[in-house]
Amino acid sequence: MRYVLAIGLETEIYKNPSLDVFLNDRFLGTTELDENVPADIQERTKGDILDAWDFRPYSNPERKYKITLPKKWIIYELDDSTFTKNNTLDIVPKNLQTNTMNGFVTKRDKCKIFNVMLLPKEWFSVDGVKKIFSHCDGRNVVIDFDHGRGWPSVILTSSETESIGTSEHLPIYNRPESYCIKYDEILELYTIENSPESSEAVYFVSSHIKIKEYYERAIKRGGNVMMTKNTHACHPQKLFENNDDTTLLHINNDVKLQLEQIATKYQHNED
């Protein structure tokens, strides 16, 4: 199976920066960053976002979210024959320069990695990503949505003290990023998660986890226990009864918006 790795950026250029990408220390490619491309920040209601997935029922449809949509995307096509069971993806900004003079800086190269996602090539479209619902049929998997985190993306935050999953979370300029790509035995898919060594590892829960374990963690962290306890399959999933082995797959609720943005402009790199 072929997969698409999509990296969404915001760039501010001073000299000649670039971005290197490695999979298991194997060099995938370099992208020259040669233009200023700011990200687009939009405000959407929960209803607007979830209606696009045909997901129901849900509460608080007028709740507003700030969504950051990168305008610059770097795309790699990867064959799963190149993956092992657990893989490391490294994304490294390079050749970053400033105009430092007498201790002052007025110009610098800036690169923010705003989004990293991995999904099957056949699903890599605004409508195609919805195939995850039928794919989960018969797998004892409940699908739910979260803001700013969840399949097929990773959590991006700027500090160890920041509230993850809020509209305020933003990545750090020019920071190298490392992620884990692993094979999910239940989904029979490769998925991307934050590296266990990352600062986010203290906070994040895997996007795919047993509901029982998720419920236990919610109690421990003072989360919304009732919401977690009553998690069950909803339309457009086929309904089924939960059991002790039922898992929960969180989907990043703005993925369709990201894919719509990618369709308008991206840089393509085929492995």
Side-chain angles (χ1 to χ4, degrees):
M1 180 186 292
R2 293 189 70 80
Y3 284 78
V4 173
L5 170 69
I7 304 169
L9 307 173
E10 177 180 79
T11 56
E12 186 175 328
I13 306 305
Y14 168 55
K15 289 289 188 179
N16 302 295
S18 60
L19 195 74
D20 288 355
V21 181
F22 300 86
L23 178 65
N24 297 330
D25 295 324
R26 180 171 68 89
F27 178 65
L28 294 183
T30 295
T31 299
E32 301 297 331
L33 306 177
D34 55 7
E35 60 179 338
N36 296 335
V37 185
D40 184 25
I41 299 177
Q42 300 182 5
E43 187 172 83
R44 300 290 185 100
T45 67
K46 183 177 180 180
D48 289 339
I49 296 170
L50 293 185
D51 285 349
W53 290 92
D54 194 25
F55 182 78
R56 59 182 183 270
Y58 58 85
S59 59
N60 302 319
E62 298 305 316
R63 180 179 179 181
K64 294 182 179 180
Y65 293 109
K66 287 184 179 179
I67 297 173
T68 302
L69 300 175
K71 294 181 181 179
K72 183 177 183 65
W73 290 88
I74 302 169
I75 307 296
Y76 287 90
E77 286 189 22
L78 303 171
D79 194 276
D80 63 4
S81 63
T82 64
F83 294 151
T84 61
K85 186 173 183 179
N86 292 290
N87 307 269
T88 300
L89 176 74
D90 292 301
I91 305 173
V92 186
K94 289 291 200 63
N95 196 30
L96 302 166
Q97 300 182 54
T98 69
N99 68 341
T100 303
M101 183 176 295
N102 298 326
F104 293 95
V105 176
T106 59
K107 295 181 180 180
R108 69 176 68 216
D109 291 312
K110 296 180 181 179
C111 173
K112 275 187 179 180
I113 302 171
F114 265 107
N115 199 307
V116 182
M117 67 174 76
L118 179 78
L119 69 166
K121 182 181 178 181
E122 291 184 357
W123 301 0
F124 190 67
S125 67
V126 175
D127 293 325
V129 71
K130 293 174 66 175
K131 291 180 180 179
I132 187 62
F133 288 106
S134 59
H135 183 79
C136 287
D137 286 346
R139 296 179 188 271
N140 200 19
V141 176
V142 171
I143 291 177
D144 202 354
F145 288 86
D146 208 338
H147 180 58
R149 58 180 172 178
W151 182 90
S153 308
V154 292
I155 300 171
L156 302 175
T157 64
S158 64
S159 75
E160 298 167 351
T161 59
E162 190 172 38
S163 177
I164 291 178
T166 68
S167 60
E168 291 79 19
H169 80 279
L170 295 171
I172 295 176
Y173 276 123
N174 303 337
R175 184 173 77 171
E177 300 288 355
S178 183
Y179 305 107
C180 176
I181 296 175
K182 62 182 182 179
Y183 187 71
D184 188 305
E185 301 283 354
I186 296 175
L187 296 178
E188 296 184 285
L189 293 172
Y190 282 95
T191 61
I192 189 167
E193 299 279 359
N194 293 84
S195 169
E197 291 77 31
S198 68
S199 59
E200 289 84 2
V202 178
Y203 302 92
F204 85 94
V205 175
S206 173
S207 58
H208 188 205
I209 188 174
K210 278 189 177 183
I211 290 181
K212 184 178 180 180
E213 182 179 349
Y214 188 76
Y215 175 55
E216 290 170 351
R217 292 195 184 192
I219 294 175
K220 185 180 295 184
R221 296 181 65 85
N224 190 330
V225 175
M226 289 304 296
M227 180 182 295
T228 307
K229 190 174 182 179
N230 294 324
T231 300
H232 58 274
C234 299
H235 181 84
Q237 273 196 278
K238 292 182 178 179
L239 306 186
F240 63 91
E241 293 293 327
N242 291 4
N243 57 44
D244 287 344
D245 294 322
T246 303
T247 61
L248 174 65
L249 176 65
H250 272 126
I251 294 179
N252 189 344
N253 62 10
D254 62 19
V255 165
K256 284 174 66 71
L257 297 174
Q258 304 285 355
L259 288 170
E260 186 175 297
Q261 183 71 276
I262 293 171
T264 63
K265 182 180 180 182
Y266 65 84
Q267 182 167 346
H268 183 273
N269 297 269
E270 185 165 349
D271 180 32

